[in-house]
Amino acid sequence: MQGCSPSSLAARTLTVALSFLSAAPQCIPFVWLMLAGLRSVVGQVKSGQILRVACAVVKQWLDGVKIHLSAGTQCPWPAMEKEQIYENLHELLFSVMWNWQDCQEEQDKQAVLGAVAAMLEVLLQEERHQEHVWEQLLWLVHPCQEIQDTCRVAKSLTVFLEALGGTESVIPRDKFQDITSAVFYQLYDDSKQHSEAGRAQLTHCIMLQARICPEETILFLQSQLGDDWEPGCVAALGLLGALARSDEPMMTEMLPQVVEAVQRLCSDPSIRVRTAVLYFIKDLLSSNTRSCSAWDVVGHIFREFSRATGRRAAGDLSAREAQEEGALQELCMDILGSLDVSVRGMSKLLWPRLLLFVVPAQYTGMLIPVSRCVCALAEREELTGRPIEHLDPHFVSSMFQGPLLTPQTLLARLLVVAGSPVAGSRLQAAALLLMKNLHSRFHRAVGATWATEIPLLLQCLEGKDESFPDTAEFERRLLKFLKASLDTIEEKAWIEALSSELSQRLSSSASSSAEKSFLYKALGTVLGSCQGVLHVQEKLLQHLEEANAEEPREAQGIVSLLSHAADNNFHTVLATLTMFASRLCKGRNARISRRKKMELDSTRAHATRSALMLAHGSVALRASKQQLLAHLEGDIVGNVLMLYSCSCRDLQNNLALVQSITDCSSAYQAVGGSASFNPSLKSKLLEILMDLMKKYYLGMPVSPVPLKVVLALEQLSKLKPSFESKDMREMLVLCCKNIVTYPSAEMMLKIRKSQQAAQYLQLQQTALKALGRLMVVLLETEPSGGFFQNIVHVLQKSMVSSNVWERKRALQTCSQLLSVCEELQRGDACEHFGSLVGLLAPLTCDPMPASRQLAVTCLSSLLRIQAKTVNTVIETGDIKSLCEGLHACSIASQLQTTSKMARIVCRNFPLERTVDFMTAIKETIRKANGVRVRAAGKWMTTFLQMHGKDLSWNVPPILYILRSITSFAQQSTFLPFLCQAVVILTRRHTGAVMNNFSRPLGPTDSETWKRIREFCLQRWRQ
């Protein structure tokens, strides 16, 4: 056989063996030859047909060997030879287990297992040889053999155990425990750094041991739970969970005992043990719910979630510990969310126990899996009522120990979660789904309404409803849904019980709680549906007294509570407000105890007065026309003024008063129609607002009060009868001073750097728009053109200001004003065309791009107003088409563009407004500098070039204006344009100019004007 390959040698060996299989066992020399040949085959062949043939040879040959060995005294082999055969079989067995453990094909695996089983039957038929097999097996798996490959050891052991499972032999208890301990130690020994494959093989070994000796394996694993060694406890829990999932008969029988042992680990502080217990519960619930009767496993899941939540909220964990607690929370949610409700006994285990965990706030995060379980139970129609004797004993015990779980308690909890945007859309949706599926648990009347409305709310959360803009709109819809539900129920006692539950929740919520804002609104909505006047008053007074209005959230909550309750209970709410307001103001000027006086003068009392003022305005906005006309002037506004008179009149009080006047005026204007507001009361409100405007003018720091006052004046001015002209003029001047003139450029820089910059700038823009609307209202109530002239006069000062921000604000106001004049087709603007053009023209080259754009917008509106007034068409198109040139960074480009605009405007210029135009240009030059002066010169020279020949009657005033300009500090920048203007006038109207220059000089004439005069006279004489 020299020169043969290992595979061909193995094949020949097997061929010989097959030829003599029937006679071979009788011949000792052939037995030795056979054993030697098989060992060589094992070392050379790894898989395939030859391996399977070799295994078949081993099985068939060992059948003959077994017969001879079991013949006792009739055995043809000497005793010494028999022992030698056993030794060689031992070697062959372990050689097969070590070399053929990596078989991948299923046929190869089965062949190897058959061969190993055949060898085990021969070796284990006598006790003295059994001991040798167990000892060699222990040597194979002993943990002290550090050099061994754990994965290969596990594979060898797997082959042995799988083969042993096919025999009738039983491992002795002590040997089995030694093997189990050795494998288990390998499994949880962290120093080994097992691969995933190695850990899986070791786990499989223990599962095979459990199949062979189930009771011993389970008892061994159970004993590890009481050990203080954490890795062993964790590994035992994982294996017990796998056994529970395997549904082994012995495990099913012993499971209650195992569950009891695991339950003792519930208080273990170790995060690994806690996690392992949860995984065990997951395995347990996936296979056998009957074993949970002695342990409330569902309750344990929730308690672990709460425990992790509390530890994370404490804030004393490291980053790693916080991450571990978060992972444990996710595991709790996953276990509950993945439960299969179709498993036998699951519905009894979950329902109605799950209801216990809906209300407590510490389980909020678990509402998503709870909702999923309830939905699944609802689909299986498992939410029907059961007799108390059929309920889970843990649930019955919990129900009698804790507070009664009423429909109102459950609904209040779910409403709060659904209305809290902080919870997130998934939790909100879970709460709504619970309401939908448990509708019969709340009230028999809501089923149809909820079946229709809740899916619409869910669509809003999922973003399917395009009309759903933000969380505030969702909250409004949710409250509307609550109101519709209460209208359906129509049970006084039920609704009052719900209001009491919400009231209790509100009282126990912290001021910083995210849900408190919604609770105020929800309670107000429910109180609005209550029929009992005394009950409504009791709850309103309770929360008015409890609320700390110094907290902005609490103050706003009080306003929300009262306004929502006023929807259907206006008179009750107003009476309660009047009662409480009187209590706050009563005795401030009378003899009262020092303690009472301190209470009434405390910051909390003043903050409460502010909140009540706001509440009166908010209630007015929700009143019907009949209610408002009957109670606004006397009760609502009267209460507001009474509260204000008793307040300390700080910023908070003043803002509350202004907002209340705004709301009351808006409400009256919306429903009043042709009704006339009390003139004396209107004048009094105007006086208060004007005093506030004066008080805060040029205040430090900048206050939002003047901006809010403009909003209030806008609404108040709409009420009939109109203000007198004197009041309107004063109002206009003060508003422009506070909104347009102020703040200064330096203050604007400070504001923009402050933390409240965005809030203030937004409020300022709102006030500017309100100022524009206020001017419109005043224009509508003052039909004479004199008021428009007042507006232009006031804005003129700001449009030529050195403050870029002031100029921008003036342009914004002017833009709104001209836009409304164009819309109303008022000709007031045409009478001031020259002045406005003279003011706007230089601003087309303002340093601020927004101001340049606004100036062009104003000029464009002015041209359209002029065209409509004289019934003509604007020549050469709209100047807005040239705006792009003004966006250029180059000053030359800006000046070139503004010159083009000047030509368009001048073609449509009414010449009777020439002096107004020149006067306005003069004002710009007097106060402006830089490119704005040059732009003014461009516009002036363009105008004179285009219309100079038609201005004979205006030459003297124009020359007077030009002469006065030469005395300004900026005259050096303007001098080229001034000289050009004089030249144009001299060429077109020589006589008139020379006549003017021939007059004696005045004492105020500047040297520049003298030189210009002398130069013109000399040229004229020549």
Side-chain angles (χ1 to χ4, degrees):
M1 294 187 181
Q2 190 174 1
C4 293
S5 65
S7 60
S8 61
L9 179 62
R12 292 186 182 185
T13 302
L14 293 175
T15 302
V16 173
L18 288 169
S19 303
F20 297 97
L21 273 177
S22 59
Q26 300 175 7
C27 179
I28 290 294
F30 189 80
V31 170
W32 300 131
L33 177 64
M34 192 69 185
L35 286 170
L38 288 173
R39 284 201 299 274
S40 68
V41 170
V42 172
Q44 297 167 9
V45 179
K46 297 298 181 184
S47 63
Q49 181 67 30
I50 297 177
L51 180 145
R52 293 194 290 274
V53 172
C55 290
V57 168
V58 170
K59 284 185 65 176
Q60 192 170 351
W61 179 72
L62 284 174
D63 285 342
V65 171
K66 180 181 177 182
I67 293 172
H68 284 78
L69 290 175
S70 60
T73 57
Q74 303 298 320
C75 178
W77 298 334
M80 184 67 69
E81 297 293 341
K82 288 171 59 178
E83 290 300 321
Q84 197 66 34
I85 289 172
Y86 277 121
E87 288 297 328
N88 280 273
L89 273 177
H90 278 298
E91 294 179 9
L92 178 62
L93 170 64
F94 286 96
S95 179
V96 168
M97 291 169 56
W98 188 259
N99 288 286
W100 287 353
Q101 60 178 313
D102 293 323
C103 295
Q104 300 297 321
E105 296 291 334
E106 186 63 30
Q107 290 181 330
D108 294 350
K109 290 180 182 179
Q110 295 299 324
V112 170
L113 287 175
V116 171
M119 285 185 276
L120 287 175
E121 284 190 34
V122 173
L123 292 171
L124 296 176
Q125 65 183 352
E126 292 190 20
E127 290 185 7
R128 63 179 183 277
H129 299 300
Q130 290 176 3
E131 188 70 23
H132 187 51
V133 172
W134 305 137
E135 288 175 359
Q136 288 215 357
L137 186 61
L138 284 173
W139 175 86
L140 180 67
V141 300
H142 202 275
C144 68
Q145 305 297 319
E146 299 292 344
I147 61 171
Q148 291 183 350
D149 183 346
T150 302
C151 187
R152 292 187 63 80
V153 170
K155 287 181 179 179
S156 299
L157 184 59
T158 298
V159 173
F160 178 87
L161 291 173
E162 287 182 345
L164 187 64
T167 68
E168 296 181 358
S169 300
V170 178
I171 305 178
R173 182 182 293 270
D174 58 337
K175 297 296 187 293
F176 177 82
Q177 287 184 349
D178 289 342
I179 295 170
T180 304
S181 298
V183 176
F184 186 76
Y185 176 84
Q186 292 281 349
L187 180 62
Y188 73 71
D189 185 6
D190 291 338
S191 64
K192 289 286 187 178
Q193 299 295 323
H194 299 299
S195 64
E196 288 296 324
R199 189 173 295 277
Q201 282 290 344
L202 290 169
T203 301
H204 185 54
C205 285
I206 293 183
M207 297 299 289
L208 288 172
Q209 289 173 265
R211 191 179 301 164
I212 297 169
C213 301
E215 184 175 358
E216 289 80 359
T217 304
I218 294 170
L219 289 173
F220 170 80
L221 293 175
Q222 186 176 328
S223 68
Q224 302 303 310
L225 299 180
D227 198 345
D228 293 335
W229 186 239
E230 180 188 283
C233 181
V234 171
L237 283 168
L239 291 167
L240 286 170
L243 288 171
R245 197 170 59 247
S246 68
D247 206 22
E248 289 286 339
M250 181 57 70
M251 184 64 183
T252 303
E253 182 180 334
M254 298 183 66
L255 202 51
Q257 179 182 338
V258 173
V259 168
E260 185 178 350
V262 174
Q263 188 178 357
R264 299 192 192 103
L265 300 174
C266 289
S267 58
D268 195 297
S270 165
I271 187 70
R272 292 184 62 189
V273 174
R274 291 163 58 200
T275 303
V277 169
L278 286 171
Y279 274 114
F280 173 80
I281 290 174
K282 184 177 183 180
D283 292 330
L284 185 66
L285 291 175
S286 68
S287 60
N288 195 320
T289 60
R290 289 169 293 174
S291 302
C292 303
S293 58
W295 179 25
D296 182 12
V297 292
V298 174
H300 178 75
I301 296 171
F302 281 93
R303 283 188 291 274
E304 275 296 347
F305 182 89
S306 175
R307 184 178 177 184
T309 302
R311 294 200 66 201
R312 294 180 73 185
D316 54 358
L317 300 180
S318 66
R320 182 182 62 81
E321 290 172 331
Q323 186 177 6
E324 289 174 343
E325 294 292 345
L328 190 138
Q329 286 181 304
E330 292 292 333
L331 177 59
C332 291
M333 296 176 66
D334 176 67
I335 293 172
L336 193 63
S338 60
L339 290 181
D340 183 2
V341 298
S342 64
V343 173
R344 183 179 177 185
M346 185 64 76
S347 60
K348 182 179 179 181
L349 185 68
L350 295 177
W351 185 256
R353 177 190 278 106
L354 287 178
L355 292 179
L356 289 175
F357 306 104
V358 173
V359 175
Q362 64 265 32
Y363 304 131
T364 299
M366 293 287 279
L367 281 182
I368 295 173
V370 166
S371 176
R372 194 207 67 84
C373 289
V374 170
C375 288
L377 291 168
E379 290 174 0
R380 293 172 56 84
E381 298 182 352
E382 295 282 355
L383 302 184
T384 55
R386 293 196 186 101
I388 194 167
E389 60 269 17
H390 294 168
L391 293 177
D392 188 280
H394 289 288
F395 174 73
V396 175
S397 174
S398 300
M399 283 296 294
F400 284 107
Q401 289 177 4
L404 187 63
L405 187 63
T406 65
Q408 291 84 357
T409 305
L410 192 58
L411 180 58
R413 172 64 178 150
L414 294 177
L415 277 172
V416 168
V417 176
S420 175
V422 178
S425 57
R426 290 184 63 205
L427 268 175
Q428 290 176 289
L432 289 171
L433 283 171
L434 280 169
M435 290 169 62
K436 180 175 178 289
N437 288 299
L438 300 175
H439 65 85
S440 60
R441 297 273 167 175
F442 295 106
H443 196 279
R444 62 184 180 278
V446 299
T449 301
W450 287 12
T452 304
E453 296 298 327
I454 289 180
L456 296 178
L457 292 171
L458 290 171
Q459 284 183 5
C460 294
L461 290 174
E462 294 167 5
K464 294 179 180 178
D465 189 345
E466 296 180 356
S467 65
F468 175 60
D470 52 25
T471 54
E473 175 61 17
F474 175 77
E475 184 183 81
R476 188 190 66 79
R477 294 188 184 189
L478 184 62
L479 292 171
K480 184 179 179 182
F481 159 78
L482 173 60
K483 178 68 171 58
S485 303
L486 297 174
D487 291 342
T488 304
I489 293 173
E490 292 184 337
E491 279 189 26
K492 178 181 176 181
W494 199 99
I495 296 174
E496 287 187 357
L498 178 60
S499 70
S500 297
E501 180 61 37
L502 288 169
S503 175
Q504 182 180 352
R505 281 186 165 274
L506 182 58
S507 297
S508 59
S509 296
S511 297
S512 58
S513 172
E515 65 186 29
K516 196 158 191 177
S517 172
F518 179 77
L519 271 170
Y520 271 116
K521 296 171 186 175
L523 176 58
T525 302
V526 177
L527 288 176
S529 297
C530 286
Q531 299 175 11
V533 174
L534 294 178
H535 177 80
V536 174
Q537 282 193 334
E538 177 191 349
K539 295 301 175 187
L540 291 178
L541 288 172
Q542 174 191 339
H543 293 290
L544 283 170
E545 291 169 353
E546 289 179 357
N548 180 10
E550 292 179 86
E551 296 283 342
R553 286 187 178 182
E554 292 281 299
Q556 184 55 49
I558 287 297
V559 175
S560 299
L561 171 68
L562 292 164
S563 59
H564 282 80
D567 273 342
N568 283 41
N569 272 319
F570 175 82
H571 292 97
T572 304
V573 171
L574 183 57
T576 307
L577 270 173
T578 302
M579 181 194 312
F580 197 75
S582 300
R583 189 187 303 174
L584 275 177
C585 297
K586 183 180 179 181
R588 283 202 83 226
N589 299 319
R591 287 187 176 183
I592 53 175
S593 65
R594 174 177 292 184
R595 176 176 163 276
K596 186 65 177 177
K597 184 174 179 57
M598 289 178 63
E599 284 183 10
L600 294 175
D601 288 335
S602 66
T603 54
R604 179 168 179 170
H606 289 304
T608 304
R609 293 185 186 98
S610 296
L612 291 181
M613 283 189 272
L614 290 171
H616 278 85
S618 189
V619 167
L621 288 171
R622 291 176 176 267
S624 66
K625 180 177 180 179
Q626 183 179 2
Q627 292 167 344
L628 198 66
L629 293 178
H631 297 281
L632 179 68
E633 296 175 356
D635 297 326
I636 297 178
V637 177
N639 286 349
V640 170
L641 294 178
M642 177 182 67
L643 288 164
Y644 184 67
S645 67
C646 298
S647 69
C648 62
R649 305 193 183 186
D650 60 1
L651 177 63
Q652 187 179 5
N653 291 144
N654 291 331
L655 284 173
L657 171 71
V658 172
Q659 186 61 51
S660 181
I661 293 174
T662 304
D663 291 339
C664 290
S665 301
S666 299
Y668 195 87
Q669 194 268 333
V671 303
S674 59
S676 185
F677 195 80
N678 187 322
S680 60
L681 182 57
K682 184 178 178 182
S683 297
K684 185 174 183 179
L685 295 177
L686 175 63
E687 181 183 353
I688 292 172
L689 293 174
M690 298 296 279
D691 287 343
L692 286 174
M693 193 74 94
K694 294 172 184 175
K695 175 182 177 182
Y696 284 94
Y697 179 57
L698 296 180
M700 294 290 290
V702 176
S703 169
V705 172
L707 307 181
K708 293 281 190 180
V709 168
V710 173
L711 300 175
L713 288 173
E714 176 198 355
Q715 298 301 325
L716 189 63
S717 299
K718 294 178 182 179
L719 304 183
K720 299 176 182 178
S722 304
F723 288 122
E724 295 181 0
S725 299
K726 177 177 67 70
D727 293 332
M728 288 194 291
R729 281 194 295 273
E730 185 183 1
M731 188 190 313
L732 175 66
V733 172
L734 271 177
C735 287
C736 287
K737 279 184 178 180
N738 280 275
I739 306 302
V740 178
T741 308
Y742 191 70
S744 64
E746 294 79 9
M747 185 56 65
M748 280 298 295
L749 290 176
K750 292 181 181 179
I751 291 171
R752 292 174 73 86
K753 293 178 182 179
S754 67
Q755 294 181 345
Q756 294 80 24
Q759 182 181 357
Y760 179 83
L761 292 174
Q762 183 180 6
L763 180 58
Q764 187 184 61
Q765 290 302 309
T766 304
L768 278 168
K769 293 177 181 178
L771 177 57
R773 294 192 300 269
L774 174 60
M775 289 181 176
V776 173
V777 173
L778 297 179
L779 278 173
E780 289 175 342
T781 56
E782 177 58 66
S784 68
F787 188 71
F788 189 90
Q789 182 178 356
N790 289 333
I791 296 176
V792 174
H793 179 72
V794 170
L795 290 178
Q796 177 180 339
K797 296 179 181 179
S798 295
M799 292 171 79
V800 297
S801 169
S802 60
N803 181 353
V804 292
W805 304 103
E806 183 178 347
R807 293 199 301 271
K808 179 187 173 184
R809 294 191 291 266
L811 283 167
Q812 285 178 286
T813 307
C814 184
S815 175
Q816 292 181 79
L817 180 65
L818 292 174
S819 176
V820 172
C821 286
E822 183 181 355
E823 183 181 343
L824 298 176
Q825 297 184 355
R826 289 185 61 120
D828 307 65
C830 295
E831 298 177 13
H832 303 276
F833 189 91
S835 299
L836 288 171
V837 171
L839 293 170
L840 294 168
L843 295 174
T844 57
C845 290
D846 193 273
M848 191 175 285
S851 295
R852 297 199 292 268
Q853 181 69 43
L854 286 166
V856 174
T857 301
C858 291
L859 285 169
S860 183
S861 295
L862 197 58
L863 282 175
R864 289 193 297 272
I865 294 170
Q866 174 71 10
K868 289 179 182 178
T869 303
V870 299
N871 198 21
T872 60
V873 178
I874 301 174
E875 295 185 30
T876 68
D878 190 355
I879 62 172
K880 276 193 172 183
S881 59
L882 302 173
C883 276
E884 195 165 332
L886 294 179
H887 296 324
C889 296
S890 167
I891 292 176
S893 177
Q894 292 179 20
L895 289 171
Q896 185 180 4
T897 302
T898 197
S899 295
K900 293 178 182 179
M901 292 181 176
R903 285 192 287 273
I904 295 175
V905 175
C906 290
R907 285 191 181 94
N908 301 274
F909 200 99
L911 296 182
E912 63 271 19
R913 307 298 175 192
T914 300
V915 176
D916 295 339
F917 168 71
M918 292 297 295
T919 302
I921 288 289
K922 181 188 76 170
E923 285 300 307
T924 297
I925 297 169
R926 186 168 67 90
K927 294 187 177 181
N929 52 38
V931 70
R932 282 191 295 141
V933 173
R934 296 169 65 184
K938 287 278 187 183
W939 277 73
M940 183 188 71
T941 54
T942 300
F943 172 76
L944 292 175
Q945 285 172 347
M946 294 180 67
H947 296 291
K949 64 180 186 304
D950 302 319
L951 300 176
S952 57
W953 70 90
N954 283 324
V955 171
I958 293 175
L959 287 174
Y960 178 79
I961 291 170
L962 294 176
R963 184 173 63 180
S964 62
I965 290 174
T966 59
S967 62
F968 299 158
Q970 292 81 1
Q971 55 89 16
S972 58
T973 305
F974 191 71
L975 186 58
F977 303 103
L978 190 146
C979 292
Q980 186 180 358
V982 173
V983 169
I984 294 171
L985 289 174
T986 303
R987 286 177 179 174
R988 302 290 172 85
H989 305 283
T990 306
V993 173
M994 292 302 108
N995 184 45
N996 186 280
F997 282 171
S998 299
R999 296 172 185 171
L1001 290 170
T1004 59
D1005 289 337
S1006 66
E1007 288 299 322
T1008 301
W1009 183 251
K1010 290 177 183 179
R1011 288 196 296 269
I1012 292 173
R1013 175 178 174 274
E1014 289 174 4
F1015 175 78
C1016 291
L1017 288 172
Q1018 287 176 4
R1019 290 291 300 269
W1020 178 69
R1021 293 190 186 104
Q1022 292 175 0

PDB file of all heavy atoms in Angstrom, residues 992-1004:
ATOM      1  N   ALA A 992     -35.453 135.347 -13.335  1.00  0.00           N
ATOM      2  CA  ALA A 992     -35.947 135.168 -11.962  1.00  0.00           C
ATOM      3  C   ALA A 992     -34.799 134.909 -10.998  1.00  0.00           C
ATOM      4  O   ALA A 992     -34.776 135.423  -9.866  1.00  0.00           O
ATOM      5  CB  ALA A 992     -36.957 134.017 -11.913  1.00  0.00           C
ATOM      6  N   VAL A 993     -33.809 134.113 -11.447  1.00  0.00           N
ATOM      7  CA  VAL A 993     -32.674 133.792 -10.578  1.00  0.00           C
ATOM      8  C   VAL A 993     -31.812 135.034 -10.346  1.00  0.00           C
ATOM      9  O   VAL A 993     -31.428 135.340  -9.203  1.00  0.00           O
ATOM     10  CB  VAL A 993     -31.839 132.651 -11.190  1.00  0.00           C
ATOM     11  CG1 VAL A 993     -30.555 132.440 -10.365  1.00  0.00           C
ATOM     12  CG2 VAL A 993     -32.643 131.364 -11.232  1.00  0.00           C
ATOM     13  N   MET A 994     -31.522 135.754 -11.435  1.00  0.00           N
ATOM     14  CA  MET A 994     -30.677 136.937 -11.285  1.00  0.00           C
ATOM     15  C   MET A 994     -31.367 138.008 -10.440  1.00  0.00           C
ATOM     16  O   MET A 994     -30.713 138.724  -9.671  1.00  0.00           O
ATOM     17  CB  MET A 994     -30.321 137.507 -12.667  1.00  0.00           C
ATOM     18  CG  MET A 994     -29.393 136.611 -13.485  1.00  0.00           C
ATOM     19  SD  MET A 994     -27.838 136.255 -12.643  1.00  0.00           S
ATOM     20  CE  MET A 994     -28.077 134.534 -12.212  1.00  0.00           C
ATOM     21  N   ASN A 995     -32.654 138.086 -10.594  1.00  0.00           N
ATOM     22  CA  ASN A 995     -33.414 139.036  -9.783  1.00  0.00           C
ATOM     23  C   ASN A 995     -33.292 138.699  -8.305  1.00  0.00           C
ATOM     24  O   ASN A 995     -33.157 139.589  -7.460  1.00  0.00           O
ATOM     25  CB  ASN A 995     -34.867 139.040 -10.237  1.00  0.00           C
ATOM     26  CG  ASN A 995     -35.692 140.082  -9.491  1.00  0.00           C
ATOM     27  OD1 ASN A 995     -35.248 141.231  -9.329  1.00  0.00           O
ATOM     28  ND2 ASN A 995     -36.864 139.685  -9.026  1.00  0.00           N
ATOM     29  N   ASN A 996     -33.320 137.414  -8.023  1.00  0.00           N
ATOM     30  CA  ASN A 996     -33.190 136.959  -6.634  1.00  0.00           C
ATOM     31  C   ASN A 996     -31.785 137.215  -6.108  1.00  0.00           C
ATOM     32  O   ASN A 996     -31.608 137.654  -4.964  1.00  0.00           O
ATOM     33  CB  ASN A 996     -33.544 135.473  -6.536  1.00  0.00           C
ATOM     34  CG  ASN A 996     -33.572 134.976  -5.088  1.00  0.00           C
ATOM     35  OD1 ASN A 996     -32.527 134.705  -4.525  1.00  0.00           O
ATOM     36  ND2 ASN A 996     -34.761 134.864  -4.524  1.00  0.00           N
ATOM     37  N   PHE A 997     -30.778 136.960  -6.959  1.00  0.00           N
ATOM     38  CA  PHE A 997     -29.399 137.151  -6.528  1.00  0.00           C
ATOM     39  C   PHE A 997     -29.025 138.635  -6.380  1.00  0.00           C
ATOM     40  O   PHE A 997     -28.061 138.974  -5.678  1.00  0.00           O
ATOM     41  CB  PHE A 997     -28.450 136.485  -7.532  1.00  0.00           C
ATOM     42  CG  PHE A 997     -28.358 134.989  -7.377  1.00  0.00           C
ATOM     43  CD1 PHE A 997     -27.702 134.206  -8.317  1.00  0.00           C
ATOM     44  CD2 PHE A 997     -28.913 134.350  -6.277  1.00  0.00           C
ATOM     45  CE1 PHE A 997     -27.615 132.844  -8.177  1.00  0.00           C
ATOM     46  CE2 PHE A 997     -28.837 132.981  -6.131  1.00  0.00           C
ATOM     47  CZ  PHE A 997     -28.191 132.212  -7.079  1.00  0.00           C
ATOM     48  N   SER A 998     -29.773 139.489  -7.082  1.00  0.00           N
ATOM     49  CA  SER A 998     -29.453 140.930  -7.033  1.00  0.00           C
ATOM     50  C   SER A 998     -29.855 141.553  -5.706  1.00  0.00           C
ATOM     51  O   SER A 998     -29.434 142.679  -5.387  1.00  0.00           O
ATOM     52  CB  SER A 998     -30.146 141.653  -8.201  1.00  0.00           C
ATOM     53  OG  SER A 998     -29.697 141.144  -9.436  1.00  0.00           O
ATOM     54  N   ARG A 999     -30.673 140.904  -4.961  1.00  0.00           N
ATOM     55  CA  ARG A 999     -31.091 141.447  -3.668  1.00  0.00           C
ATOM     56  C   ARG A 999     -29.926 141.391  -2.671  1.00  0.00           C
ATOM     57  O   ARG A 999     -29.063 140.522  -2.764  1.00  0.00           O
ATOM     58  CB  ARG A 999     -32.275 140.651  -3.120  1.00  0.00           C
ATOM     59  CG  ARG A 999     -33.515 140.754  -3.994  1.00  0.00           C
ATOM     60  CD  ARG A 999     -34.589 139.806  -3.520  1.00  0.00           C
ATOM     61  NE  ARG A 999     -35.737 139.819  -4.425  1.00  0.00           N
ATOM     62  CZ  ARG A 999     -36.752 138.959  -4.341  1.00  0.00           C
ATOM     63  NH1 ARG A 999     -36.745 138.046  -3.389  1.00  0.00           N
ATOM     64  NH2 ARG A 999     -37.742 139.051  -5.206  1.00  0.00           N
ATOM     65  N   PRO A1000     -29.910 142.315  -1.720  1.00  0.00           N
ATOM     66  CA  PRO A1000     -28.814 142.347  -0.745  1.00  0.00           C
ATOM     67  C   PRO A1000     -28.749 141.036   0.061  1.00  0.00           C
ATOM     68  O   PRO A1000     -29.777 140.413   0.346  1.00  0.00           O
ATOM     69  CB  PRO A1000     -29.166 143.533   0.147  1.00  0.00           C
ATOM     70  CG  PRO A1000     -30.111 144.363  -0.653  1.00  0.00           C
ATOM     71  CD  PRO A1000     -30.882 143.413  -1.520  1.00  0.00           C
ATOM     72  N   LEU A1001     -27.533 140.665   0.433  1.00  0.00           N
ATOM     73  CA  LEU A1001     -27.345 139.459   1.257  1.00  0.00           C
ATOM     74  C   LEU A1001     -27.831 139.698   2.681  1.00  0.00           C
ATOM     75  O   LEU A1001     -27.719 140.815   3.205  1.00  0.00           O
ATOM     76  CB  LEU A1001     -25.872 139.079   1.287  1.00  0.00           C
ATOM     77  CG  LEU A1001     -25.297 138.536  -0.033  1.00  0.00           C
ATOM     78  CD1 LEU A1001     -23.774 138.435   0.081  1.00  0.00           C
ATOM     79  CD2 LEU A1001     -25.900 137.192  -0.386  1.00  0.00           C
ATOM     80  N   GLY A1002     -28.310 138.652   3.266  1.00  0.00           N
ATOM     81  CA  GLY A1002     -28.763 138.731   4.648  1.00  0.00           C
ATOM     82  C   GLY A1002     -27.648 138.359   5.602  1.00  0.00           C
ATOM     83  O   GLY A1002     -26.657 137.724   5.231  1.00  0.00           O
ATOM     84  N   PRO A1003     -27.782 138.683   6.869  1.00  0.00           N
ATOM     85  CA  PRO A1003     -26.731 138.385   7.867  1.00  0.00           C
ATOM     86  C   PRO A1003     -26.549 136.876   8.094  1.00  0.00           C
ATOM     87  O   PRO A1003     -25.508 136.445   8.574  1.00  0.00           O
ATOM     88  CB  PRO A1003     -27.237 139.092   9.125  1.00  0.00           C
ATOM     89  CG  PRO A1003     -28.706 139.226   8.943  1.00  0.00           C
ATOM     90  CD  PRO A1003     -28.937 139.400   7.465  1.00  0.00           C
ATOM     91  N   THR A1004     -27.552 136.079   7.757  1.00  0.00           N
ATOM     92  CA  THR A1004     -27.464 134.628   8.006  1.00  0.00           C
ATOM     93  C   THR A1004     -26.945 133.865   6.794  1.00  0.00           C
ATOM     94  O   THR A1004     -26.771 132.648   6.865  1.00  0.00           O
ATOM     95  CB  THR A1004     -28.862 134.081   8.385  1.00  0.00           C
ATOM     96  OG1 THR A1004     -29.770 134.363   7.317  1.00  0.00           O
ATOM     97  CG2 THR A1004     -29.343 134.711   9.676  1.00  0.00           C
TER      98      THR A1004
END
